[in-house]
Amino acid sequence: MNRPTGVSVIAVLCFVGAAFCIIGGIGLIAGGGFLANMMSQQAEGAGMASLVASMGAAIGVIILVFAALYGFVGWGLWTLREWARIVTIVLTAIGAVFQLPGLFSSLLHFRIGAFIWIACWLAIYAAIIWYLLKPEVKGVFASS
């Protein structure tokens, strides 16, 4: 059975997310080392240099793990694996839940730009979940 266009789009978005995570993870690792080097050359920042370097490396490695997760899920969606559909639904729902505090904060402080931005992301998350739960899309994953 052919892969639906929507599934291909979501898989490509996963691959793009993986690419951005790779760039960000490498940037944090290199940036932490660069900042630590600059701090170690100053007398008052020498003590914090190793902390900055290790924090940059740790956060960079975590982001690289997310890059691997995005790539793996993207491959699973591209090859129509049922587990990838379920993981995408769960991770998308988690992402939507994490957007809710920002939505409420933008309403509380009346930041209309932030509200519109977060509302757009929530709409995208809802559309992805709705699409992957459609019976015809679910059937494509079950048949492969």
Side-chain angles (χ1 to χ4, degrees), residues 3 11 28 36-38 44 50 56 58 61 77 79 92 96 104-105 108 121 128-130 141:
R3 179 178 47 256
L28 275 169
N37 187 27
M38 287 177 45
E44 63 270 359
S50 63
V61 168
L77 287 171
T79 57
T92 303
F104 295 137
S105 173
L108 183 65
W121 275 107
I128 290 171
I129 292 171
W130 168 78
F141 281 93

Side-chain angles (χ1 to χ4, degrees), residues 3 5 14 21 28 32 36-37 40 44 50 56 58 65 69 74 77 99 104-105 112 118 120 132:
R3 179 178 47 256
T5 304
C14 285
C21 283
L28 275 169
N37 187 27
S40 67
E44 63 270 359
S50 63
V65 169
L69 178 66
L77 287 171
Q99 289 287 336
F104 295 137
S105 173
I112 193 69
I118 294 170
C120 287
L132 291 175

Side-chain angles (χ1 to χ4, degrees), residues 38-61:
M38 287 177 45
M39 291 174 74
S40 67
Q41 294 175 1
Q42 298 176 353
E44 63 270 359
M48 293 290 291
S50 63
L51 178 65
V52 169
S54 59
M55 289 278 293
I59 294 171
V61 168

Side-chain angles (χ1 to χ4, degrees), residues 42-92:
Q42 298 176 353
E44 63 270 359
M48 293 290 291
S50 63
L51 178 65
V52 169
S54 59
M55 289 278 293
I59 294 171
V61 168
I62 290 170
I63 291 176
L64 289 175
V65 169
F66 277 104
L69 178 66
Y70 270 122
F72 192 59
V73 171
W75 171 81
L77 287 171
W78 192 261
T79 57
L80 298 175
R81 307 287 186 209
E82 177 68 16
W83 60 263
R85 186 185 72 85
I86 294 168
V87 168
T88 302
I89 291 169
V90 169
L91 292 178
T92 303

